[in-house]
Amino acid sequence: MSYGLLYLGNSGVGKTWLVNLTLGKEAFRAAYESSSVTKTTEYVDVTVTYSRGPVMTRLFNIPGLIENNQEAIEHNKVEIQKAFVQRPVSVVVFVLSVTGGRIRDEDMVAFEALNKSYRLKPDSLCIVVNQLNKKKRTPDYERETKLRIESLTGIPSLPIAFINEVDDDDVAGRQDALATLLQVIETRLPAQHEKHHDIQLQLDQIKKAKEEVKAKQEEFDRMKAAMEAEAAKKLAEIEALKNKPPQVVHVYHPPPSHRRKWYKF
């Protein structure tokens, strides 16, 4: 039996686009309109070609988790469970999106709810930060965002794929995105996932959960700013020492009359 490749995350983060990218064809509808939002769990059995060779895989296109009404949330919980039941041995790809380059609070709320329910195995889990604006990414963006995600999830050394926004007619961009995605996925080992309890996510609790994530992000920002300030201070001290003029050392030489005389008896 093939193992599963489960793309999880909220609606609008680009899961369907990533599934189609992995397949190399538009197997599932993906568009930026409300009618295109995935409502039921879909799948296709394919052979995914990694650097180590082809692997039989069931790719799932799964609805998001957080919605604006409880009925939709409960429906999505059931659809997510369908994928885990069909392929309990899976690699999980959790997809995040950003606002102004910053991880969205609601995406971390969804991750925490899923992780508590299924206890996602770190060796079979990877993260995708999707729909990035390539022109606005700073040189340190990936390193800083990786540290932020590890801080928010509490999981060290998570492999993360950073995927830029790609136009439909940008063939080279799609190829680069696919290579980046598969390079991360193939480092993961399929593992058995079981639901330990129902996904605990109620509409009236989401606002509070988002505020808690926001507080964690702000604490991370404060720690980052403090570390940067300390590093800048140390660098300034080093530069000051490098630019400091050499000191003149005066050596006192006493006149001959003050020198000790030695007598031989």
Side-chain angles (χ1 to χ4, degrees):
M1 180 183 291
S2 63
Y3 73 84
L5 185 56
L6 280 61
Y7 287 87
L8 299 177
N10 284 322
S11 298
V13 297
K15 299 188 303 296
T16 300
W17 186 85
L18 290 168
V19 173
N20 288 336
L21 180 70
T22 309
L23 290 170
K25 60 181 180 180
E26 300 298 311
F28 304 106
R29 187 181 180 191
Y32 296 100
E33 53 186 79
S34 59
S35 61
S36 71
V37 174
T38 303
K39 300 293 196 303
T40 59
T41 292
E42 308 166 302
Y43 66 86
V44 60
D45 292 318
V46 295
T47 299
V48 179
T49 303
Y50 300 101
S51 62
R52 64 178 182 271
V55 179
M56 285 298 299
T57 308
R58 175 165 289 186
L59 263 69
F60 287 90
N61 187 39
I62 306 170
L65 179 56
I66 294 178
E67 302 288 353
N68 58 9
N69 66 84
Q70 191 62 43
E71 183 180 355
I73 292 175
E74 295 302 321
H75 170 79
N76 291 345
K77 292 178 183 179
V78 173
E79 293 301 314
I80 290 169
Q81 172 64 0
K82 286 180 181 179
F84 280 105
V85 169
Q86 288 189 42
R87 288 294 183 274
V89 178
S90 296
V91 167
V92 174
V93 182
F94 191 83
V95 186
L96 303 169
S97 190
V98 298
T99 300
R102 183 187 178 96
I103 300 299
R104 301 191 311 174
D105 297 334
E106 57 265 39
D107 289 343
M108 296 312 306
V109 171
F111 175 84
E112 185 173 354
L114 289 165
N115 192 32
K116 285 182 177 178
S117 177
Y118 291 94
R119 299 179 188 175
L120 304 174
K121 308 295 192 303
D123 288 344
S124 66
L125 171 67
C126 61
I127 301 290
V128 173
V129 182
N130 201 26
Q131 302 170 337
L132 291 169
N133 187 325
K134 183 179 180 180
K135 295 180 179 179
K136 294 184 178 181
R137 285 171 61 177
T138 63
D140 288 337
Y141 179 78
E142 292 189 10
R143 180 185 63 82
E144 292 176 358
T145 302
K146 187 175 188 302
L147 291 173
R148 181 185 297 273
I149 291 172
E150 290 179 352
S151 175
L152 293 172
T153 61
I155 305 175
S157 304
L158 264 177
I160 302 174
F162 294 87
I163 307 294
N164 294 322
E165 288 182 322
V166 181
D167 294 332
D168 291 338
D169 58 353
D170 185 355
V171 177
R174 291 173 69 91
Q175 290 176 342
D176 288 343
L178 178 60
T180 299
L181 181 63
L182 294 183
Q183 186 177 18
V184 169
I185 291 175
E186 69 178 345
T187 65
R188 304 295 83 196
L189 300 173
Q192 181 88 15
H193 291 92
E194 299 177 358
K195 186 171 73 170
H196 295 268
H197 57 73
D198 291 338
I199 299 172
Q200 303 298 316
L201 189 66
Q202 300 297 317
L203 189 62
D204 59 355
Q205 299 172 344
I206 292 176
K207 182 179 179 180
K208 180 181 178 182
K210 287 171 62 176
E211 290 174 350
E212 291 173 352
V213 172
K214 181 180 179 181
K216 291 180 181 179
Q217 296 226 49
E218 290 174 346
E219 176 62 21
F220 178 87
D221 290 335
R222 285 191 292 269
M223 292 178 61
K224 174 175 170 287
M227 292 176 66
E228 288 176 346
E230 183 64 23
K233 180 181 177 181
K234 294 294 184 184
L235 183 61
E237 292 174 353
I238 293 172
E239 289 298 319
L241 288 173
K242 288 168 59 178
N243 297 325
K244 188 176 181 180
Q247 292 182 336
V248 177
V249 179
H250 298 280
V251 179
Y252 176 70
H253 296 282
S257 60
H258 291 178
R259 294 175 184 171
R260 178 178 296 179
K261 294 181 179 181
W262 294 91
Y263 295 91
K264 185 176 183 181
F265 295 95

